[in-house]
């Protein structure tokens, strides 16, 4: 017999048997209970059966409760079709009608909860990207009652950097799950612009305000959310982070020391207030960053301070494996019966190998380009990347020449080599190059177009002193000549 059929038949038999058992248990105290009290008890039983989500079982439980109520409490040991009083008929009828209504409401709630849970799980990451500089693990524990708006993400950024994100939307239910999905999508879109954490949170705050404006002034339209956005740079081993009303991360150092980062707090998203402030923290290799939501450390029986202390005590002996750290935290810190969902993200940092980094200061004169190009080709030979030398030489020449002609000193060149080869040219100008499609008669305007064709991806990252134009180059999979022919 199919397993689903067995499960449904079992539910139907239980729907008939449970009201019968309850009535039998109430018989010894029948003289002390009114019909109304008995009917309310049976309605509660019907609601419990309906909470399991089977419509036929809920309706059968309501009918069974009405029948056994009539048999045991209205006409005991007599005919089931004769009633002593007219109010007995009304009580039995009301029990059946109210029981059916309660079962339908419970089924609707169960269905909405299942839809919200499914939607929330589909909007959360099912796995984390494979980044060479951060090893991460996560756990998500839904609340026992309603789903919430907790979320997290790990986003690879140019230059082998990684963005680590965690957030929480206030409230529960379907509305919170949908809002969470929209905010996670907005953060991913803003991360492609390579914004610093404080500027990204400011734009995310604008998104939340726009969501409130579109929804109107109703209760469902008010959005309050928290977010913590962190960028880890493996070259400098620095974390730049900013938060909007969220808890600061916990840092477990390789020597066992644990601390909660003293990070300037920002206002909740959507509530307005002072601007967001970023902070920079230098971390040694093999440091673990722990991100969490309030459902992990706080509940009605434990304040936030106690939860944070318990988290730090647990991290002090957790080791260096993020997966084991997650398991250890859940066992020691997560409340037994949480009324809020909890998200946990643990990331172990890794420093970029120093022998895979090459840097040059570039004089702001065109005559310096050939010498820089020769030194780069020698470094590529040292890295056994001779096959990529021709493409790298073309990209390098265009980026450095553009910086010399159109930007401002100081000009700096950096190569990063791991799975891919990244070329970064920084300068003191905030003017970003843009892609042009030059006509056949134009004498210039093909440099960035050539870079876009040869590189896997390219872009601009602004810094406090200027900008960085970067191009990421994979190992060559096709000959370069056809690409050059299409560009000219």
């Amino acid at each position: 017999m199919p397993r689903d059929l067995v499960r449904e038949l079992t539910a139907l038999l239980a729907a008939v048997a449970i009201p019968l058992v309850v009535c039998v248990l109430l018989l010894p105290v029948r003289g002390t209970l009114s019909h109304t009290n008995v009917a309310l008890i049976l309605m509660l039983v019907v609601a419990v059966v309906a909470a399991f989500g089977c419509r036929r079982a809920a309706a059968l439980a309501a009918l069974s409760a009405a029948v056994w109520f009539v048999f045991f409490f209205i006409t005991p040991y007599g005919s089931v079709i004769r009633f002593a009083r007219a109010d007995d008929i009304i009580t039995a009828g009301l029990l059946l009608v109210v029981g059916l209504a309660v079962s339908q409401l419970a089924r609707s709630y169960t269905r909405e909860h299942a839809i919200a849970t499914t939607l929330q799980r589909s909007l959360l990451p099912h796995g984390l990207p494979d980044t060479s500089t951060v090893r991460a693990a996560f756990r998500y524990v839904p609340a026992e009652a309603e789903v919430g708006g907790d979320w997290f993400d790990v986003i690879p950024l140019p230059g082998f950097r990684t963005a680590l994100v965690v957030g929480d939307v206030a409230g529960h239910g379907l509305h919170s799950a949908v809002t969470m999905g929209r905010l996670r999508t907005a953060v991913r879109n803003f991360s492609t612009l390579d914004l610093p954490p404080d500027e990204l949170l400011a734009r995310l705050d604008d998104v939340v305000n726009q969501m409130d404006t579109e929804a109107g002034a109703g209760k469902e339209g008010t959005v309050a959310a928290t977010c913590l956005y962190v960028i880890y740079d493996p070259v400098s081993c620095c974390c730049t982070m900013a938060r909007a009303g969220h808890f600061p991360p916990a840092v477990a150092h390789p020597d066992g020391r644990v601390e909660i980062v003293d990070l300037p707090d920002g206002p909740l998203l959507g509530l307005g207030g002072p601007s967001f402030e970023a902070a920079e923290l230098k971390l040694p290799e093999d440091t673990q960053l722990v991100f969490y939501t309030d459902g992990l450390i706080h509940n009605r029986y434990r304040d936030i301070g106690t939860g944070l202390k318990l988290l730090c005590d647990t991290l002090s002996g957790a080791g260096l494996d993020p997966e084991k750290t997650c398991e250890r935290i859940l066992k020691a810190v997560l409340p037994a019966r949480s009324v809020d969902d909890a998200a946990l993200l643990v990331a172990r940092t890794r420093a970029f190998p120093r022998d895979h980094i090459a840097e040059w200061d570039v004089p702001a004169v065109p005559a310096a380009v050939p010498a820089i190009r020769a030194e780069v080709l020698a470094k590529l030979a040292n890295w056994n990347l001779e096959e990529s030398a021709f493409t790298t030489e073309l990209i390098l020449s265009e980026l450095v020449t553009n910086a010399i002609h159109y930007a401002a000193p100081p000009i700096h060149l950096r190569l990063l080599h791991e799975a891919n080869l990244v070329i970064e040219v920084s300068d003191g100008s905030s003017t970003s190059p843009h892609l042009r499609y030059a006509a056949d008669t134009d004498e210039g305007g093909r440099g960035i177009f050539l870079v876009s064709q040869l590189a896997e991806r390219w872009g601009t990252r602004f810094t406090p002193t200027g900008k960085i134009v970067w191009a990421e180059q994979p190992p060559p999979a096709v000959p370069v000549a056809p690409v050059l022919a299409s560009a000219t």
Side-chain angles (χ1 to χ4, degrees):
M1 185 178 294
R3 183 177 301 178
D4 293 340
L5 181 59
V6 173
R7 187 183 296 111
E8 187 170 354
L9 290 177
T10 303
L12 294 177
L13 291 176
V16 176
I18 292 177
L20 173 61
V21 172
V22 172
C23 288
V24 171
L25 293 177
L26 292 177
L27 279 178
V29 293
R30 180 178 54 197
T32 61
L33 293 175
S34 66
H35 290 171
T36 302
N37 292 334
V38 175
L40 291 175
I41 293 173
L42 291 176
M43 288 180 193
L44 180 61
V45 172
V46 172
V48 171
V49 174
F52 288 97
C54 181
R55 180 177 59 182
R56 285 186 288 270
L60 188 59
L63 180 61
S64 174
V67 170
W68 298 125
F69 172 76
V70 170
F71 183 80
F72 286 105
F73 296 94
I74 293 182
T75 60
Y77 314 112
S79 171
V80 296
I81 61 173
R82 294 200 304 271
F83 299 93
R85 299 192 307 270
D87 58 349
D88 293 338
I89 303 176
I90 298 175
T91 302
L94 286 176
L95 174 61
L96 178 60
V97 173
V98 174
L100 291 173
V102 170
S103 67
Q104 182 63 26
L105 290 175
R107 176 179 173 271
S108 299
Y109 169 79
T110 303
R111 182 174 62 179
E112 181 179 347
H113 182 269
I115 293 174
T117 302
T118 303
L119 176 63
Q120 184 189 43
R121 291 187 179 277
S122 66
L123 294 174
L124 288 172
H126 298 285
L128 299 181
D130 184 17
T131 60
S132 59
T133 55
V134 167
R135 182 182 176 189
F138 71 93
R139 294 294 185 274
Y140 172 75
V141 181
E144 294 184 355
E146 291 186 286
V147 298
D150 292 15
W151 56 283
F152 58 91
D153 215 340
V154 176
I155 308 171
L157 296 177
F160 301 102
R161 296 169 304 132
T162 303
L164 305 164
V165 195
V166 65
D168 187 5
V169 178
H172 296 85
L174 188 60
H175 177 70
S176 296
V178 172
T179 303
M180 175 270 292
R182 296 178 67 180
L183 292 183
R184 179 174 176 246
T185 301
V187 169
R188 278 197 160 264
N189 291 336
F190 288 143
S191 68
T192 61
L193 302 176
D194 217 342
L195 302 173
D198 51 344
E199 187 175 342
L200 184 141
L201 290 181
R203 297 203 181 191
L204 191 62
D205 184 65
D206 293 338
V207 171
V208 174
N209 291 328
Q210 183 62 32
M211 291 166 59
D212 281 341
T213 303
E214 293 174 353
K219 181 179 179 180
E220 289 296 324
T222 302
V223 177
T226 68
C227 185
L228 170 65
Y229 190 83
V230 176
I231 296 178
Y232 173 67
D233 186 350
V235 177
S236 62
C237 293
C238 285
C239 270
T240 307
M241 56 186 73
R243 63 177 177 139
H246 201 85
F247 294 103
V251 177
H253 296 271
D255 58 3
R257 182 170 52 91
V258 180
E259 62 175 335
I260 303 296
V261 179
D262 186 14
L263 182 62
D265 195 7
L268 292 173
L269 297 173
L271 297 185
S275 59
F276 303 101
E277 185 178 351
E280 190 172 282
L281 181 66
K282 192 170 183 63
L283 302 175
E285 190 174 13
D286 291 329
T287 299
Q288 289 198 115
L289 291 165
V290 181
F291 308 88
Y292 49 90
T293 56
D294 57 349
L296 179 70
I297 61 172
H298 175 63
N299 64 2
R300 66 184 67 179
Y301 307 109
R302 185 176 68 194
D303 59 24
I304 295 176
T306 303
L308 289 176
K309 184 179 184 304
L310 182 58
L311 175 63
C312 292
D313 293 341
T314 304
L315 284 173
S316 61
L320 296 177
D321 184 19
E323 289 287 347
K324 293 181 180 179
T325 301
C326 285
E327 292 296 333
R328 186 183 180 98
I329 291 175
L330 288 187
K331 290 180 181 179
V333 183
L334 184 68
R337 298 181 62 87
S338 179
V339 297
D340 195 6
D341 49 347
L344 174 65
L345 177 64
V346 178
R348 176 184 171 186
T349 63
R350 172 177 171 265
F352 201 85
R354 302 309 302 178
D355 57 347
H356 286 197
I357 304 174
E359 298 182 271
W360 296 269
D361 290 323
V362 181
V365 292
V369 177
I372 293 294
R373 191 162 51 215
E375 293 185 27
V376 169
L377 293 178
K379 177 58 69 174
L380 293 180
N382 186 32
W383 286 342
N384 296 320
L385 295 177
E386 292 89 347
E387 295 182 359
S388 303
F390 183 60
T391 306
T392 304
E393 185 179 6
L394 291 173
I395 296 175
L396 170 70
S397 298
E398 292 297 338
L399 295 184
V400 172
T401 303
N402 275 352
I404 293 174
H405 283 289
Y406 304 110
I411 301 173
H412 188 77
L413 169 65
R414 184 170 72 174
L415 300 184
L416 303 175
H417 165 51
E418 191 149 284
N420 294 343
L421 178 65
V422 175
I423 305 170
E424 296 182 344
V425 177
S426 61
D427 58 63
S429 171
S430 59
T431 303
S432 175
H434 63 279
L435 182 62
R436 288 181 54 193
Y437 296 94
D440 295 339
T441 56
D442 291 342
E443 295 183 0
R446 296 179 176 85
I448 296 300
F449 176 76
L450 185 63
V451 171
S452 69
Q453 295 297 305
L454 296 175
E456 185 176 56
R457 55 178 184 159
W458 73 281
T460 303
R461 178 167 74 252
F462 293 97
T463 65
T465 58
K467 69 176 182 297
I468 297 175
V469 183
W470 57 269
E472 187 172 320
Q473 179 187 345
V478 296
V480 181
V483 179
L484 291 178
S486 64
T488 57

